[in-house]
Amino acid sequence: MFGEDTELEMGRTNHPKIIAEYGRYDDEQLQRYVQSVGEKLASVSHRKDLVYRFTVLDSPVINAFALPGGYVYITRGLMAYLNSEAELAAVLGHEIGHVTARHGVRQQSAAQAANIGYTLGSILIPELRNAGSQNIFNMLGGALLSGYGREHELESDRLGAEYLARAGYDPHAMIDVITVLKNQEIFAAVEAKKQGREYQGYHGLFASHPDNDTRLQGVVAAADKYKVTDGKIDRTAYLDHIAGMTFGDSEEQGIRSENHFYHLAMGFAVDFPEKWHINNNPDSLQAVAPDGKAVVEMGAADLNRKLTPEQFIKQRLKITTIRSGQSFNSHGLDGYTGIALAQDKTVRVAVVYLKDKAYIFFGGAESNTLFSSYDQAFINTIKSLHSLREDEIKLAQELKIQILRVGKNDNYASWAKQSRISNSPIEQLRLLNGDYPNGELQSGQLAKQVR
């Protein structure tokens, strides 16, 4: 196993890369709050000598993970679905358990011995493995980003539950978090089926056991002996801190809504084929067909010389041989599209000019024989690019979590009508408030609304 100096260096080296990939959420009060909760747990951990850094990442992905050496991350995407400080502490305590047990280092050592690279937990959404975190794979040696093994996860559960109890939290919050994540899994599977996609399940944080897992129940119950108090929950304090937090995509990254994408700062909108799954990567947009057999990708580049779109393709993209090329003007924007070969694969390529940028499109299918059946969808996507209209500005604005006191006439159906959630709003509001699948708002309680 690597020594501690190497472990700390691994954390120091990769922390800036994680921040560059996901972004640090720009809310210093929330960052301080998460740091303070994490420090309570770290102070009763088995490695009190480490300096722990707890960071909220600006990502809608439901995720939490740790680097060796005390670098712990939680996304705002996961925080949106938690409902108490105790649940936040459960997630952070679990990740501190990975750090104190040196799971990352143990996996690094084993992986290096087997020459398979670095393995890091925990990723909950499988699509991410094909999207933005591919860049992290490259940073960390080109290996898979995946969950720890079952025994490592159970060991982190045990340690995390102990730290919760010693820090004055209810260790049973561990099970509450698992319920949150399992409900997410059920919802994601239903949504995938509705969209004609195959759902692959998630991996990572708490994923390897159900909430009625007897081994998990055992390690949580065993933590009761470390309790210093009855175990606080602190629901109200937690809700106060996440009030106003961004929900879903951020304005800076662009907003996905069904098959549409809006970007306020860059001033554009684009429509992808219906039911295609959109991945919003750090440097590109990608839409994948429901059957996974075709993909269209879009990126942007600065214009420097006054070239025609055709010249841009040939000079900047270095694609000199184009079949069936044609210039077009759509929504007042000049573009050029044609068919090229890339590694013997037929590809639809296009460039559309908007202001001082060239928007670059590539569309391809699993095989050349399938290409023609998807080509019209590629063309429609390319020609849908347009300047953001006045009526689309609101759609390009990010959603925010609001904490409201439930009135006697309130219910999820009425709240869904007032919400700007475009995709299954009733179900998502229930998920946010721990009432999935059939729970209802209770008069007088504090609850999350999204507007």
Side-chain angles (χ1 to χ4, degrees):
M1 189 184 294
F2 294 124
E4 187 172 84
D5 287 347
T6 303
E7 175 188 6
L8 300 179
E9 184 181 357
M10 287 163 61
R12 281 196 307 272
T13 301
N14 288 295
H15 173 67
K17 298 173 183 177
I18 296 290
I19 299 301
E21 179 69 24
Y22 286 92
R24 183 178 181 274
Y25 185 54
D26 187 16
D27 183 333
E28 294 312 311
Q29 186 178 17
L30 187 65
Q31 296 284 359
R32 286 193 297 272
Y33 173 61
V34 172
Q35 180 71 27
S36 69
V37 172
E39 285 178 351
K40 289 177 193 173
L41 300 158
S43 68
V44 296
S45 75
H46 293 89
R47 298 180 74 186
K48 302 185 187 75
D49 57 317
L50 292 182
V51 176
Y52 288 83
R53 291 169 175 82
F54 300 89
T55 303
V56 182
L57 297 174
D58 188 12
S59 171
V61 172
I62 299 166
N63 190 11
F65 58 92
L67 288 176
Y71 295 85
V72 177
Y73 308 91
I74 183 169
T75 62
R76 59 172 173 80
L78 175 53
M79 289 191 68
Y81 290 94
L82 302 180
N83 278 290
S84 70
E85 188 173 301
E87 290 181 10
L88 171 64
V91 174
L92 300 181
H94 178 93
E95 296 306 330
I96 291 170
H98 282 308
V99 174
T100 57
R102 304 189 75 208
H103 289 155
V105 177
R106 284 151 70 177
Q107 290 211 155
Q108 169 72 63
S109 302
Q112 185 156 304
N115 195 29
I116 59 171
Y118 187 92
T119 308
L120 174 71
S122 314
I123 288 293
L124 303 180
I125 303 231
E127 286 87 349
L128 198 69
R129 296 199 296 273
N130 305 319
S133 43
Q134 185 62 45
N135 296 335
I136 298 182
F137 302 160
N138 297 336
M139 294 170 190
L140 302 180
L144 295 174
L145 199 60
S146 65
Y148 293 102
R150 181 68 190 92
E151 295 307 314
H152 281 182
E153 291 293 351
L154 193 67
E155 185 176 16
S156 283
D157 294 337
R158 178 181 62 77
L159 292 169
E162 178 183 335
Y163 301 156
L164 282 172
R166 289 186 184 277
Y169 294 103
D170 183 354
H172 294 267
M174 281 271 183
I175 295 170
D176 295 334
V177 172
I178 291 166
T179 301
V180 168
L181 297 176
K182 293 298 178 182
N183 285 338
Q184 286 285 343
E185 182 180 34
I186 294 166
F187 172 72
V190 170
E191 288 298 295
K193 185 175 181 180
K194 189 192 301 182
Q195 296 168 18
R197 291 188 291 113
E198 183 179 342
Y199 178 66
Q200 299 174 347
Y202 65 71
H203 302 274
L205 178 67
F206 301 131
S208 54
H209 45 222
D211 52 8
N212 62 354
D213 186 326
T214 52
R215 294 176 74 190
L216 173 66
Q217 299 276 359
V219 300
V220 169
D224 285 342
K225 66 177 176 283
Y226 299 112
K227 280 186 176 179
V228 293
T229 66
D230 287 341
K232 62 184 177 182
I233 302 297
D234 282 356
R235 172 178 165 81
T236 302
Y238 182 79
L239 295 180
D240 285 346
H241 278 93
I242 66 166
M245 188 172 72
T246 301
F247 177 76
D249 293 337
S250 69
E251 282 178 22
E252 184 181 353
Q253 296 160 342
I255 306 295
R256 291 170 291 182
S257 178
E258 296 177 335
N259 64 311
H260 313 292
F261 183 83
Y262 308 97
H263 204 295
L264 191 62
M266 296 177 73
F268 77 85
V270 66
D271 303 325
F272 291 99
E274 287 187 16
K275 297 188 176 181
W276 285 37
H277 184 71
I278 303 172
N279 293 316
N280 188 4
N281 305 329
D283 53 3
S284 70
L285 275 173
Q286 182 189 74
V288 182
D291 58 8
K293 293 184 177 179
V295 62
V296 58
E297 189 148 9
M298 168 187 159
D302 286 345
L303 282 170
N304 304 111
R305 289 197 181 98
K306 292 184 177 180
L307 305 172
T308 67
E310 180 181 6
Q311 289 171 328
F312 185 97
I313 290 173
K314 292 179 177 177
Q315 294 182 30
R316 286 279 295 273
L317 302 183
K318 310 296 186 190
I319 300 172
T320 55
T321 304
I322 299 175
R323 292 189 288 111
S324 306
Q326 57 176 286
S327 298
F328 64 88
N329 184 286
S330 182
H331 301 284
L333 307 179
D334 290 329
Y336 188 87
T337 185
I339 294 172
L341 278 180
Q343 297 177 341
D344 296 326
K345 279 282 185 76
T346 303
V347 175
R348 166 69 61 181
V349 60
V351 165
V352 184
Y353 285 174
L354 173 56
K355 297 179 182 175
D356 61 353
K357 293 199 182 296
Y359 289 83
I360 304 157
F361 294 83
F362 290 98
E366 186 177 69
S367 66
N368 291 343
T369 54
L370 282 174
F371 177 83
S372 59
S373 60
Y374 290 101
D375 193 32
Q376 191 57 52
F378 301 148
I379 293 170
N380 292 344
T381 295
I382 292 160
K383 292 188 175 181
S384 74
L385 181 73
H386 60 275
S387 295
L388 198 66
R389 300 190 306 264
E390 194 72 28
D391 64 306
E392 293 175 323
I393 289 176
K394 188 172 182 180
L395 299 172
Q397 294 170 348
E398 63 193 19
L399 306 181
K400 298 283 190 180
I401 291 175
Q402 296 184 354
I403 307 301
L404 304 176
R405 183 77 62 182
V406 178
K408 62 180 181 180
N409 296 320
D410 288 337
N411 54 54
Y412 281 119
S414 65
W415 274 31
K417 290 177 183 175
Q418 302 165 24
S419 176
R420 286 178 53 217
I421 298 175
S422 62
N423 180 34
S424 303
I426 293 177
E427 290 80 1
Q428 291 213 52
L429 288 171
R430 283 190 167 126
L431 281 169
L432 282 166
N433 290 293
D435 284 331
Y436 188 82
N438 300 312
E440 194 49 81
L441 291 169
Q442 301 299 314
S443 179
Q445 76 173 117
L446 290 174
K448 302 172 198 159
Q449 168 65 296
V450 176
R451 291 179 177 165

